[in-house]
Amino acid sequence: MILSRQILTILLLLSTLGCKKAYDPNPELITIDLERGDFILCSAGRFGDVDFLTSCSENTRETFNLAISLLHSFEYVEAEKAFVKVIDADPSCSMAYWGVAMSIYHSLWMQSDKSYLQKGVKLLEIANKFQLSEKEKDYLDAICVFYMDWETVKPETRKNLYEKKMETLYHKYRNDAETAIFYALALRAAANPNDKTYAKQKKSGKILEDLFEKYPNHPGIAHYIIHNYDYPELAYKALNTARRYAQIAPASAHAQHMPSHIFTRLGLWEESIKSNINSTESARCYSESINPSGHWDEELHGMDYLVYAYLQIGDNSKAKEQYDYLKTFDLVFPANFKVAYSSAAIPTRIAIENKNWLEASTLQLPKSNIDWGSFPWQTAILHFGKILGLVHIGSISDAENELEILKGLHQELADQNDNYKANQVLIQINSAEAWIKFAKGNRKEALVYMLKASELESNTSKHAVTPCEVLPADELLGDLYLQLNEPTQALKAYEFSLKNHPNRFNSIYGAATAAKLLGHENKSKHYFESLVKLTKNAGCDRPELNEAKKNLNLI
């Protein structure tokens, strides 16, 4: 039930009625596509506590702070609506135009549709025409560097320019919490995904941790701490924050989901499942309010994390329920990179995590309104899974044909200078080459390719959109070593995989198998016991679990 929309509408009407000054609409906005309408917030409406001071009309302050809260939880559409409501009430409120520009920025992932950049330029041009305080001018100048020259300057460069601008403001306004929080987010957004020292993430995290003590109910602080530490090496630093964020902003579907990033990094599957059940339920409420026949991207994002967690506890029944549900989707909105990733990853994960190679060999892109031609990285996931399936059922020539498609997708990303995603597909290409070579009897070449894939993946950070690679390269390396009858190397590969992906079902089983082959009875027993413990609440019927129980004399 959408309680908050009614509450907020009443509050906003009362504040408008109490305002003596009338404003005329800004005619310059006519040509700009802005989000308008009632707020759609599926809970009691709590998004955390913020206090962002501006020189805008006093009667817009409550709405402006709501907009900032929504922005900090990446509720971008509703944030834009709130900022636009401020603009409609006070057309000279320059910071509301800034707010819309921030709401369409989506700093942690770049949108494929470039129209938002043109929109941002127009908004900031209008905002700069009004009388500005010094701080407001600084804020506008900062975000302007991201939108300026967008047609000729790479997104990464513009992100870095924005970060530098916010760093200047951070030092200039040392006592302003919001400036520090937005600077911390800019740092995280500009972090190099290939920097395994996580220098910017740690710097950002330290700023936020210090602020969290003073502002324990601020949604942005909690949210961005999680994003900064969403890595195997750092996740432990955000566990307490992860367990708090959903309570700070219970009205946000994204806030319900975000803790599962940390739970996933730490292999806390039951907590991840609970987090994403709450998130997807909230997202469905939002979808039904916008378009009852459609599905919001936040729902699909949560579903991918939910499926991944179910698979790690061996609950195929629940995982397949999510996939069957996904197959009913005809309309998704917005049809963006998150939706494309989840739609490709969910069926691929279910097939290849279960080593159901026949099912993997027949994977097809889900039918919905997604323009798959705009998402080569996501499309590559399905083709990669298909290659593994084809190799294992002996259809080598078909696998080689799929490999050519994979290489074409890699080239497409390389031509777009999308280096991170191109590298992700390159990892898949090397893994695919390895298993094709192995199937053709070229054992040495197979190992060379698989080691290369493992090295590439070890030097690359995980993208925030995914709970995990559809199959970690280190785990695939362990599988190959077992096929090569090298259990010592297999055990090392599986244990390295578990270091980066704690409590992964297949890595635990692989480690148990390798240890058993080596005669390491205690270690084998430890891993088999871990598998039994991992699956105890899932009703798991996977053959690996039965083998574990037999080895432990439980059946």
Side-chain angles (χ1 to χ4, degrees), residues 134 156 205 210 253 263 348 403 506 533:
E134 183 178 1
E156 292 78 9
D210 290 345
F263 301 150
T348 306
L403 179 59
N506 285 329
K533 182 179 180 181

Side-chain angles (χ1 to χ4, degrees), residues 23-84:
Y23 295 96
D24 295 322
N26 189 334
E28 292 183 277
L29 296 177
I30 294 174
T31 61
I32 303 176
D33 183 20
L34 296 172
E35 294 284 351
R36 282 191 166 88
D38 290 336
F39 301 127
I40 299 174
L41 311 172
C42 291
S43 80
R46 285 197 296 121
F47 284 91
D49 300 335
V50 303
D51 188 15
F52 194 108
L53 296 178
T54 73
S55 61
C56 303
S57 173
E58 181 62 29
N59 77 294
T60 65
R61 183 172 178 179
E62 183 178 356
T63 308
F64 194 96
N65 281 334
L66 171 64
I68 292 291
S69 295
L70 290 163
L71 178 60
H72 278 312
S73 283
F74 292 175
E75 302 285 345
Y76 291 124
V77 172
E78 300 308 312
E80 181 176 344
K81 284 183 189 177
F83 284 121
V84 171

Side-chain angles (χ1 to χ4, degrees), residues 163 208 230 324 376 388 421 432 478 502 507:
E163 178 218 323
L208 295 165
D230 185 15
D324 288 341
L388 292 178
K421 292 174 186 173
S507 287

Side-chain angles (χ1 to χ4, degrees), residues 471-487:
L471 274 187
D474 293 313
E475 185 175 279
L476 270 175
L477 177 61
D479 292 346
L480 183 60
Y481 273 128
L482 279 185
Q483 293 293 321
L484 295 171
N485 196 28
E486 296 187 33

Side-chain angles (χ1 to χ4, degrees), residues 29 89 126 128 170 182 220 278 312 332 361 412 427 447 500-501 535:
L29 296 177
I126 297 171
N128 274 296
Y170 172 65
F182 278 112
N278 291 339
Q312 301 323 307
V332 293
S361 71
E412 188 177 339
I427 294 166
L447 187 56
N500 293 313
H501 310 92
T535 59

Side-chain angles (χ1 to χ4, degrees), residues 357 384 387-388 391-392 396 399 428-442 445-447 449-450 471 473 475-484 494:
W357 303 123
F384 173 61
I387 291 169
L388 292 178
V391 166
H392 282 86
I396 308 306
Q428 295 173 343
I429 288 171
N430 278 277
S431 298
E433 289 271 22
W435 286 93
I436 290 173
K437 296 294 184 187
F438 175 75
K440 295 173 76 171
N442 301 325
E445 287 185 75
L447 187 56
Y449 275 110
M450 202 60 245
L471 274 187
E475 185 175 279
L476 270 175
L477 177 61
D479 292 346
L480 183 60
Y481 273 128
L482 279 185
Q483 293 293 321
L484 295 171
Y494 289 128

